[in-house]
Amino acid sequence: MTEKPRPLRVAMIGAGFMGAAHSQGWRVAPRFFELDATPEMSLLVGRDPARTQAAADRWGWAETSTDWREAIARDDIDVIDIVTPGDSHAEIAIAALDAGKHVMCEKPLANSVAEAQAMAGAAARAEAQGVLSMVGFTYRRVPAATLARDMVAAGRIGQIRQVRAAYLQDWLSDENSPMSWRLQKDRAGSGSLGDIGAHAVDLAQFITGVELESVSGILETLVKERPLAADFSGLSGTAGEGRGEVTVDDLALFTGRFNGGFLGSFEATRFSTGRKNALRIEVAGSKGALSFDLERMNELEFFDATAPAAEQGFKTIIVTEAEHPYMAAWWPAGHTIGYEHGFSHQAHDFVQAVASGTAPSPSFADGLQVQRVLAAVEASAGAGSAWTTV
């Protein structure tokens, strides 16, 4: 008789948008992938008891709590999954790691380099005791993006010469859309730069295998005040009345030099009217180029500069074959997957790493490096776009 994989009991802190996405990952991964441990959705922690219970019932969590410290104190919890706003990441993650819990934490890792350094330090101490951690840059796990990384590593585009990356959304383009925690620097750390620009930075570094070493950037807040929603809390004034100050950037533009000597350009905005979730990256090399767009997530564009001139042009690779990363676990060849599947891939990779005692990727150290890039962009913008070392 085959031995049943050991359970890996998960407590998730946070019950919003990312809570739903991570719940999807934990719930679905063991049903499609052969895992060496079985994740169990043991405890959901949220601020409001009724809403948290409703979310647990919907998503399949066994129990609920309103105190994250309870999750860390319990002996029957193995993993802490953090999907709260950035201002609480450091406190929860460090406490969990020090208590011997494996930790998955949403990006960006923290709200500041100092917090991220403390988290990376805690992760290093914990890893020495066999306790593992990972930051949730989920777009690495879109099969087409992983394939792009593999093709670059295999030398298919030759020597990298230039990177262009942009993350374009428009959900804030209406100046009367209400305030949220994502528009408060003390809660979110930064605006477009940290929320979606972090993804562009991580994906560019992941695909190329090279880190940014210096940046020159500019930040702009396009709408400086927004109406307070009836259920909004966190600013002075009466919820549902008046307007609150936006204290983060709406638009981030920056250039960067990679350690490999090549240059990159980056854009992050939630004001790109008509673009819903367009994370785009193009890597140009001496032998070819690759282009990825999250709004066409099952495709990867590849240009082979070594082909005869009469045959050149970008070709579309439909990333739906069993030979492509992660795809063998899903549907028959030719059938597409969606946004939510990245979270199942993330859960798969984390569980397998914990089960084997292998450090998962991206690590907290990787998250710290991205945090340093974000801080360097902000410092450059404050110094008139001066080139700033990461």
Side-chain angles (χ1 to χ4, degrees):
M1 181 180 293
T2 303
E3 185 177 350
K4 184 178 180 181
R6 68 180 178 89
L8 199 63
R9 297 155 298 190
V10 181
M12 188 171 71
I13 318 299
F17 162 45
M18 275 296 108
H22 281 231
S23 296
Q24 163 81 12
W26 293 120
R27 185 178 181 86
V28 173
R31 290 164 172 80
F32 280 84
F33 292 91
E34 295 293 331
L35 300 178
D36 295 328
T38 302
E40 295 181 356
M41 299 167 64
S42 299
L43 180 66
L44 178 64
V45 180
R47 292 180 300 174
D48 180 90
R51 291 182 179 180
T52 305
Q53 186 62 58
D57 293 342
R58 176 184 290 270
W59 300 336
W61 293 90
E63 298 179 59
T64 64
S65 174
T66 57
D67 185 358
W68 60 264
R69 294 171 182 82
E70 175 191 339
I72 292 174
R74 284 176 52 163
D75 292 334
D76 61 345
I77 296 297
D78 304 302
V79 173
I80 300 295
D81 184 9
I82 304 169
V83 294
T84 57
D87 61 330
S88 59
H89 285 186
E91 183 181 12
I92 298 172
I94 293 170
L97 290 166
D98 287 347
K101 310 295 186 186
H102 305 293
V103 174
M104 181 188 294
C105 182
E106 254 304 316
K107 65 81 217 164
L109 187 60
N111 277 6
S112 69
V113 170
E115 288 179 345
Q117 285 176 323
M119 294 171 73
R125 294 193 303 271
E127 187 175 345
Q129 305 300 318
V131 178
L132 303 177
S133 55
M134 187 175 81
V135 60
F137 283 110
T138 319
Y139 294 137
R140 288 184 174 210
R141 294 176 164 84
V142 173
T146 308
L147 178 62
R149 187 275 311 269
D150 293 345
M151 292 178 69
V152 169
R156 296 297 301 277
I157 67 169
Q159 181 181 0
I160 298 172
R161 290 174 170 167
Q162 185 180 1
V163 175
R164 289 180 293 276
Y167 203 152
L168 313 176
Q169 297 178 342
D170 74 350
W171 64 277
L172 285 176
S173 57
D174 180 358
E175 64 184 26
N176 289 313
S177 61
M179 283 290 296
S180 79
W181 67 266
R182 293 182 185 275
L183 302 176
Q184 297 176 264
K185 188 173 181 60
D186 61 340
R187 299 292 307 284
S190 65
S192 294
L193 177 63
D195 184 22
I196 55 180
H199 276 304
V201 170
D202 180 72
L203 198 58
Q205 296 185 145
F206 171 69
I207 290 174
T208 63
V210 184
E211 294 181 348
L212 285 158
E213 65 177 17
S214 58
V215 295
S216 170
I218 186 169
L219 304 176
E220 183 63 46
T221 302
L222 302 177
V223 175
K224 295 177 172 54
E225 290 185 342
R226 290 186 176 273
L228 300 178
D231 60 351
F232 183 77
S233 61
L235 292 174
S236 59
T238 304
E241 297 181 9
R243 301 175 73 88
E245 181 186 4
V246 175
T247 54
V248 299
D249 61 278
D250 290 326
L251 169 63
L253 300 169
F254 63 98
T255 52
R257 184 177 297 277
F258 287 79
N259 286 331
F262 55 90
L263 297 177
S265 62
F266 294 82
E267 178 182 359
T269 177
R270 299 179 293 205
F271 277 75
S272 185
T273 307
R275 300 297 179 191
K276 301 304 176 183
N277 203 35
L279 173 55
R280 301 174 169 192
I281 182 167
E282 185 166 300
V283 183
S286 59
K287 295 182 180 179
L290 290 163
S291 181
F292 170 73
D293 185 344
L294 185 62
E295 289 187 335
R296 300 171 63 184
M297 66 181 298
N298 291 279
E299 301 177 8
L300 180 65
E301 301 290 321
F302 172 54
F303 178 82
D304 183 1
T306 68
E311 300 174 11
Q312 286 186 358
F314 274 93
K315 75 173 183 179
T316 301
I317 301 171
I318 306 299
V319 188
T320 56
E321 303 302 306
E323 293 78 8
H324 290 139
Y326 301 105
M327 291 303 297
W330 297 106
W331 316 115
H335 290 73
T336 59
I337 62 171
Y339 170 78
E340 71 278 10
H341 290 75
F343 295 92
S344 296
H345 301 159
Q346 177 173 265
H348 165 274
D349 291 350
F350 187 73
V351 168
Q352 293 300 86
V354 169
S356 65
T358 304
S361 179
S363 66
F364 275 21
D366 295 326
L368 169 59
Q369 194 276 334
V370 172
Q371 200 80 43
R372 286 179 169 140
V373 173
L374 303 180
V377 172
E378 192 165 1
S380 172
S385 302
W387 277 94
T388 303
T389 301
V390 172

